[in-house]
């Protein structure tokens, strides 16, 4: 191949920069396949072996894609509900209920088994104002 990125910002050949979606990356993948077919070691491969190699290259490109277009969206934030707000703001009270009422050490599997009960107990103790 003649083209190679010189920096992280330059991740596609200049003639493919304007194209959007997967078409530019698809063209790059097709170019890679063409270059691979020219290699002596790939010329001797059977059709079945070649297809398995192509699938391996597709998988590699999918996993190492810079754009993230082929990857699921990563959630950075968190959706807040009334329950999650109570759990976050009254964490100490919930932990205290787990320890005093249920006799479980906070942070263990046993504490997780009674966590919802402890949250409901804390919610019942809250006033309407809180």
């Amino acid at each position: 191949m003649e083209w190679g990125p010189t920096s992280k910002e330059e991740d596609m050949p200049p003639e493919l920069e304007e194209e959007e979606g997967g078409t530019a990356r698809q063209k790059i993948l097709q170019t890679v396949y063409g270059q691979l077919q020219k290699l002596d070691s790939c010329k001797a491969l059977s059709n079945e072996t070649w297809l398995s190699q192509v699938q391996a290259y597709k998988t590699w490109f999918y996993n190492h894609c810079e754009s993230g277009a082929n990857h699921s969206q990563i959630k950075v934030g968190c959706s807040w509900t009334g329950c999650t707000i109570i759990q976050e703001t009254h964490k100490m009270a919930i932990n205290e209920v787990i320890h005093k009422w249920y006799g479980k050490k906070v942070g263990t599997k046993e504490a997780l088994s009674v966590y919802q009960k402890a949250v409901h107990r804390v919610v019942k103790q809250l006033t309407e104002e809180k």
Side-chain angles (χ1 to χ4, degrees), residues 31-97:
T31 304
V32 168
Y33 295 157
Q35 295 294 322
L36 287 171
Q37 286 177 336
K38 293 178 184 177
L39 296 174
D40 292 331
S41 59
C42 290
K43 288 179 183 177
L45 294 177
S46 68
N47 192 34
E48 186 177 324
T49 309
W50 170 252
L51 291 177
S52 70
Q53 288 294 318
V54 166
Q55 186 59 43
Y57 292 122
K58 276 185 183 179
T59 303
W60 189 91
F61 275 105
Y62 175 82
N63 290 336
H64 295 86
C65 175
E66 286 286 328
S67 71
N70 295 330
H71 300 286
S72 62
Q73 295 286 332
I74 297 173
K75 284 190 167 186
V76 178
C78 164
S79 61
W80 290 93
T81 63
C83 188
T84 56
I85 291 172
I86 290 171
Q87 289 174 353
E88 192 62 34
T89 56
H90 295 84
K91 192 179 289 188
M92 294 299 290
I94 294 169
N95 289 341
E96 189 176 311
V97 167

Side-chain angles (χ1 to χ4, degrees), residues 3-14 16-17 24-25 28 61 64-68:
W3 171 83
T6 57
S7 69
K8 190 166 180 84
E9 292 80 27
E10 183 188 345
D11 65 343
M12 286 198 295
L16 298 176
E17 282 181 356
R25 296 208 183 268
I28 291 172
F61 275 105
H64 295 86
C65 175
E66 286 286 328
S67 71

